[in-house]
Amino acid sequence: RSSCATTCWGRSATSPRLVSMDVFPHGFRVLNREDERQRIVVVGRYSDGSQEDISQKVRYTSQNDSIEVSNTGEIKPKANGQATILIRSQGQVAAVQVGVALGPNVAIASMKPVNFIDELVLDKLARMRIEPSGPATDAEFVRRVYLDTIGILPEVDEAKRFLEDRSPDKRARLIDSLLERKDFGDFWANKWGDLFASNVFTVVDGTSYLQDWLRQAFQTNKPYDKFVKEVLTATGSSWDIGAVNYSIRPAEDLVTLTAQAFLGVSIECARCHDHPSERWKREDFIGLTAFFSQVRAKGRRPPPVELITYLALDAEYRHPETKQVVRPKFIDGTEPILRPLTDRRAVLADWITSPSNPWFAKATVNRFWRQLMEKGLVEPADDFRATNPASNPELLDRLAADFVDHGYDIRHLFRQILNSATYQLSSVPNPSNKDDDLHYSHYYLRRLTAEQMMDGLVEITAVPEKFLAYYPGVRSVNLADSGIPSSFLDMYDRPKRDAAKCERSESVSLRQAMNMIAGDTVNKKVRSDASRLAGMLRDGKSDQDIIENLYLAAMSRYPTAAERDLCLTAAKRANDRSRGLQNVLWALLNSNEFVYNH
């Protein structure tokens, strides 16, 4: 056999091809000693049904410095942590997760499990020898759950009422009440507006018809499978049927967004070529695009244009190069049987939302989990792939199964997460978990979003922000168009919504700090004669009462005795009483305790 017809493995060019790899050990393995070793065994399966040990013929790569892996697949622990080891060969890729826990065993009994979330988190923490933080205080919890659920701070009376409530079920009752508020729909419509990059859509007289539809869907707790079906299959007027606006974009962009938003799959790379390291081929992208071949739109009325979306049921999608008709194909490789005059988008929507779909439920719960817990079980949230496994696969599976079993009920999912002891952990780390950013051993700090910062300033000072073309007092979370001028919102990373993939940043910069210290937005509101502070001074409130009120407004807690005395002293040192208390408020707004959700 000539050398040119032989591969580097000694197989001929006509040999059966490698179609998959089985990697051992299965499951998650933790190494507990520096001298402990684990060898990876890889079994290759070929197109003729044969199999072979190819452990010495694959390429191993560790994605974390806590693990060192040799060319022969021997794992050596280096430092505490968790690593994904990638295994590649002949176009096939697999992954195995390994943890390193070199410290002593820890006690986790301080965290009492409430539901399966806590049980699976505690199991992982015990294996990784990480001790969870203690529970969040009532003040920490009430501020956190307001910000995470409805995007705003609790009002002073709301915070006081919760802090003074001695009922054992007060946290669960608060969660239930927040999920029913109109603010819930506003907040999550804004987040899904980011996800859908909704500046692409019709915005008329300050109204985004898609965002209005999203607001109503979240407010009425529309089952998420129905939510997705309506978004994918809507036709008619872009003004009358808000969901129609989702589809007003080129078919290729629609494929990219649909895969990312509803399946957690980043397939954009395959638009032009086969993915170099993943399973997605260009034909997968083209096959998915064919589901949108029937969609047409036409304008009506003078600008701003109302678009009418309709279906050309006999339309076909043709391959960009060969010009041959392309049959619609799901990204799992299967082809549906399509009857004549069928809306192909409905067929796709049924497949996407099916309980048997391997991506939909997992991608959905992961996206909501990430919004509430800061870190997704799969990170990034739109990058589900074999080489990017979940940090806790068992938890992701259980969340997804529970979501399906409860009819894709978004509020049920929220209740499971928000009532868990895991969500309600303190953000204050301990020596065991101070470096953990993967296993949810404590609540992960996050900077307030641009809209939360602005709306928080407005609420604390009671001085509304005026946005161009909007009525005074509108919350920034309700702005339909991210192009509405606001240097403050832009400075705190308001996304532009001008691309199929719209990501929020949580940067922390000197420019932001200087803006809080000396910027017009903060200082004008603090010094305004129409502010909450000015009103309390006119009402004859004492300095102590005012300081207490400001702490409740900004921090959702009472000041400690030391803080109260410090604020009283600082207020008295100023030239006049008003300026002294303004200085106190300014200091609170410039504290990390205000700027961060904790």
Side-chain angles (χ1 to χ4, degrees):
R1 192 177 290 168
S2 66
S3 60
C4 65
T6 305
T7 70
C8 61
W9 290 12
R11 286 178 171 267
S12 72
T14 58
S15 295
R17 58 185 176 83
L18 183 69
V19 294
S20 67
M21 296 184 294
D22 287 341
V23 180
F24 302 91
H26 287 313
F28 181 66
R29 176 71 190 276
V30 180
L31 306 181
N32 298 127
R33 302 188 317 274
E34 290 185 2
D35 62 350
E36 189 174 2
R37 301 291 182 268
Q38 172 70 54
R39 185 171 295 279
I40 298 175
V41 175
V42 184
V43 175
R45 301 187 183 278
Y46 293 89
S47 55
D48 64 352
S50 64
Q51 60 185 44
E52 175 187 6
D53 184 344
I54 58 174
S55 305
Q56 310 297 310
K57 302 174 181 179
V58 297
R59 180 183 177 186
Y60 301 95
T61 307
S62 174
Q63 293 189 316
N64 189 294
D65 293 338
S66 63
I67 291 288
E68 181 181 290
V69 59
S70 71
N71 293 334
T72 60
E74 184 180 73
I75 300 171
K76 178 181 179 181
K78 301 292 289 184
N80 287 337
Q82 178 172 312
T84 298
I85 298 173
L86 304 184
I87 302 151
R88 292 188 175 97
S89 181
Q90 297 189 35
Q92 298 298 316
V93 62
V96 61
Q97 285 185 314
V98 179
V100 178
L102 302 178
N105 287 322
V106 297
I108 60 173
S110 60
M111 178 176 162
K112 304 299 183 184
V114 172
N115 55 26
F116 67 82
I117 292 174
D118 303 323
E119 293 168 356
L120 292 169
V121 167
L122 282 171
D123 179 70
K124 189 69 177 288
L125 291 177
R127 298 184 68 185
M128 294 300 295
R129 298 183 177 180
I130 297 173
E131 181 182 359
S133 294
T137 65
D138 280 347
E140 291 168 339
F141 172 77
V142 68
R143 187 177 193 269
R144 176 192 303 175
V145 77
Y146 266 77
L147 287 169
D148 286 343
T149 308
I150 62 175
I152 57 177
L153 297 170
E155 295 179 1
V156 170
D157 289 344
E158 292 173 331
K160 288 177 68 174
R161 188 162 55 248
F162 182 81
L163 295 175
E164 294 167 4
D165 189 347
R166 296 293 177 260
S167 304
D169 64 341
K170 67 178 185 178
R171 294 192 179 190
R173 286 190 290 106
L174 177 60
I175 289 167
D176 286 343
S177 69
L178 293 176
L179 293 175
E180 297 296 332
R181 285 179 53 160
K182 173 182 177 295
D183 305 293
F184 178 79
D186 293 342
F187 182 54
W188 290 93
N190 178 265
K191 287 189 173 294
W192 255 239
D194 290 348
L195 177 63
F196 291 166
S198 70
N199 271 7
V200 173
F201 313 111
T202 307
V203 177
V204 182
D205 297 331
T207 299
S208 167
Y209 294 106
L210 177 61
Q211 191 146 321
D212 280 353
W213 184 90
L214 291 170
R215 185 179 296 112
Q216 182 70 11
F218 281 112
Q219 190 59 49
T220 59
N221 197 32
K222 189 185 293 290
Y224 197 67
D225 59 335
K226 184 178 180 182
F227 175 110
V228 172
K229 286 180 180 179
E230 289 185 15
V231 162
L232 287 175
T233 63
T235 55
S237 165
S238 61
W239 291 6
D240 297 336
I241 304 171
V244 163
N245 292 276
Y246 176 86
S247 298
I248 301 175
R249 62 177 88 219
E252 290 77 10
D253 290 350
L254 196 53
V255 167
T256 296
L257 177 58
T258 298
Q260 289 175 347
F262 304 134
L263 301 174
V265 171
S266 183
I267 199 172
E268 169 70 10
C269 184
R271 181 189 293 218
C272 303
H273 52 78
D274 293 349
H275 198 293
S277 59
E278 290 301 325
R279 61 178 287 185
W280 310 118
K281 308 299 182 185
R282 188 168 182 233
E283 295 307 311
D284 295 324
F285 189 96
I286 291 172
L288 203 58
T289 307
F291 282 103
F292 298 98
S293 63
Q294 300 165 317
V295 181
R296 299 289 185 271
K298 59 184 178 182
R300 187 171 70 181
R301 304 181 186 176
V305 175
E306 174 190 21
L307 292 176
I308 308 299
T309 298
Y310 63 98
L311 296 180
L313 291 173
D314 57 348
E316 300 284 359
Y317 181 72
R318 294 187 178 274
H319 195 285
E321 278 80 44
T322 67
K323 308 305 178 184
Q324 297 297 309
V325 171
V326 176
R327 290 185 57 82
K329 184 175 68 173
F330 304 129
I331 58 172
D332 64 0
T334 61
E335 292 187 13
I337 298 174
L338 297 175
R339 296 183 178 180
L341 306 181
T342 297
D343 182 353
R344 295 176 178 180
R345 301 173 307 163
V347 176
L348 176 63
D350 287 342
W351 175 79
I352 286 177
T353 59
S354 168
S356 63
N357 186 292
W359 294 285
F360 176 63
K362 291 181 181 180
T364 302
V365 299
N366 183 65
R367 196 174 295 282
F368 281 107
W369 175 275
R370 184 179 189 271
Q371 295 287 350
L372 296 173
M373 300 294 291
E374 174 61 11
K375 189 90 171 181
L377 291 161
V378 173
E379 193 70 34
D382 55 3
D383 199 15
F384 275 66
R385 51 186 166 85
T387 53
N388 187 36
S391 59
N392 192 327
E394 294 79 13
L395 177 54
L396 181 63
D397 289 346
R398 282 291 301 277
L399 280 169
D402 185 66
F403 188 51
V404 173
D405 289 344
H406 287 83
Y408 302 92
D409 186 329
I410 294 172
R411 287 183 185 163
H412 171 79
L413 176 62
F414 270 73
R415 289 188 181 94
Q416 290 283 52
I417 298 173
L418 297 175
N419 281 297
S420 71
T422 302
Y423 175 80
Q424 296 184 24
L425 288 174
S426 170
S427 62
V428 179
N430 58 45
S432 168
N433 68 21
K434 61 184 176 62
D435 295 323
D436 170 42
D437 63 354
L438 198 62
H439 305 296
Y440 311 101
S441 59
H442 55 93
Y443 183 82
Y444 299 139
L445 291 174
R446 71 186 86 175
R447 200 209 70 207
L448 300 189
T449 66
E451 293 86 352
Q452 287 173 334
M453 290 283 285
M454 174 62 80
D455 293 340
L457 291 174
V458 168
E459 184 177 331
I460 293 164
T461 63
V463 179
E465 184 73 4
K466 181 67 176 73
F467 295 104
L468 181 66
Y470 281 83
Y471 59 87
V474 67
R475 285 176 54 199
S476 58
V477 76
N478 289 126
L479 299 179
D481 184 356
S482 64
I484 297 296
S486 173
S487 58
F488 185 94
L489 293 176
D490 291 340
M491 187 179 302
Y492 286 91
D493 305 310
R494 172 179 60 172
K496 294 298 183 184
R497 295 184 176 180
D498 56 359
K501 183 177 181 179
C502 179
E503 292 287 349
R504 275 186 180 266
S505 172
E506 292 181 3
S507 68
V508 178
S509 68
L510 178 60
R511 181 166 172 255
Q512 292 170 353
M514 292 304 298
N515 182 66
M516 292 297 291
I517 292 171
D520 284 346
T521 301
V522 175
N523 285 285
K524 284 182 178 180
K525 293 185 188 303
V526 169
R527 296 173 182 170
S528 171
D529 291 336
S531 71
R532 175 199 301 267
L533 173 56
M536 288 189 289
L537 287 169
R538 286 192 295 271
D539 291 342
K541 300 288 187 181
S542 69
D543 287 1
Q544 183 167 317
D545 286 344
I546 291 173
I547 290 167
E548 179 182 287
N549 187 286
L550 295 179
Y551 264 85
L552 285 165
M555 315 301 191
S556 304
R557 66 175 177 87
Y558 294 99
T560 65
E563 289 170 334
R564 183 194 61 224
D565 293 344
L566 184 63
C567 291
L568 287 171
T569 300
K572 289 175 181 177
R573 285 179 179 172
N575 295 331
D576 64 76
R577 183 183 179 215
S578 176
R579 179 55 60 90
L581 289 168
Q582 287 174 6
N583 290 342
V584 170
L585 176 55
W586 175 89
L588 293 180
L589 296 177
N590 276 276
S591 68
N592 283 340
E593 190 174 353
F594 169 71
V595 172
Y596 283 87
N597 184 358
H598 51 84

